Amino acid sequence: VLGRVGLTLVGDEGQTFTVTEDTVIARSPIAVLELPLTGIYSPHVCLYWSATGIEVKDLNSAGGAELDGRPLGHDFTVARVGSWLRLAGTITAELRADAIVVNGTRYPAPPGNVILSRKPLTVHALGEADRSVSDPHCVILREGGQFVIRDLNSRNGVHLNDAPIGPANEVIPDGATLRLGLATSFTCSFGQDV
């Protein structure tokens, strides 16, 4: 029985993985909090509860994000407990020391980073070998029978066939070379899952 077409990424160092569903690529493991609300982008923002506060950044979302009435930028911004996020102009989220409250529903804060997303996402963690890869770095999405990639405001960018990509989705052609950060490269090929 043939399954869906997958996108196989083969790295310069021999690491290989296949993407069959929407996947975030990061240096470290990241939790995903699915919020099936109109206006939430997939993925929308990343949060990190740290010793200095709650760090938050927009992930090139279409609807944007604000922290206490100010637009979020490309880098993590430290928020205080009690700060408010506004997602896509209509969804409110209060940041608490141990949770996030979205439109009145409380979700416990997981350890480490968490992505708020409209739909489920798989996370593929590459490991700590290349510190130029961000947490999170990019997302690969299935759109209309093809795979696209979008940079998630990473520090060191995403290159598709040696050309930097911007905040918009870029189609990944068969045989493409994908570079994340400064040193992590993959060759992309399409195949069937079984």
Side-chain angles (χ1 to χ4, degrees), residues 111-125:
N113 289 348
V114 63
I115 292 172
L116 303 185
S117 179
R118 184 183 75 251
K119 57 186 180 177
L121 295 168
T122 298
V123 175
H124 184 82

Side-chain angles (χ1 to χ4, degrees), residues 4-25:
R4 300 182 305 176
V5 171
L7 175 68
T8 300
L9 286 83
V10 178
D12 291 342
E13 303 297 319
Q15 69 275 38
T16 299
F17 65 98
T18 300
V19 174
T20 58
E21 55 197 6
D22 295 349
T23 300
V24 169
I25 300 175

Side-chain angles (χ1 to χ4, degrees), residues 1 10 17 33 48 50 77 81 87 95 98 100 112 119 124-125 138 151-152 176 182-183 191:
V1 175
V10 178
F17 65 98
L33 176 57
Y48 178 69
S50 71
T77 300
V81 171
L87 308 174
L95 302 178
D98 61 348
I100 181 169
K119 57 186 180 177
H124 184 82
C138 62
D151 190 337
L152 297 178
L182 303 176

Side-chain angles (χ1 to χ4, degrees), residues 21-101:
E21 55 197 6
D22 295 349
T23 300
V24 169
I25 300 175
R27 187 177 65 246
S28 307
I30 299 175
V32 176
L33 176 57
E34 185 183 346
L35 301 170
L37 302 169
T38 301
I40 294 276
Y41 207 52
S42 290
H44 202 103
V45 296
C46 186
L47 301 163
Y48 178 69
W49 277 259
S50 71
T52 59
I54 305 163
E55 299 177 38
V56 59
K57 81 170 182 175
D58 185 20
L59 298 177
N60 278 331
S61 65
E66 296 177 353
L67 177 65
D68 294 328
R70 293 181 310 276
L72 283 173
H74 299 297
D75 297 318
F76 277 103
T77 300
V78 178
R80 59 176 171 50
V81 171
S83 287
W84 284 88
L85 280 176
R86 181 174 299 278
L87 308 174
T90 60
I91 298 156
T92 58
E94 180 188 3
L95 302 178
R96 297 186 179 171
D98 61 348
I100 181 169
V101 180

Side-chain angles (χ1 to χ4, degrees), residues 116-172:
L116 303 185
S117 179
R118 184 183 75 251
K119 57 186 180 177
L121 295 168
T122 298
V123 175
H124 184 82
L126 296 174
E128 298 295 321
D130 183 358
R131 302 287 297 168
S132 73
V133 174
S134 297
D135 277 332
H137 199 93
C138 62
V139 62
I140 296 175
L141 305 165
R142 294 179 71 100
E143 285 188 353
Q146 57 191 1
F147 289 93
V148 298
I149 189 166
R150 183 173 73 242
D151 190 337
L152 297 178
N153 286 328
S154 65
R155 278 189 319 274
N156 296 302
V158 175
H159 288 74
L160 184 61
N161 291 330
D162 294 322
I165 68 169
N169 292 349
E170 296 279 342
V171 174
I172 302 172

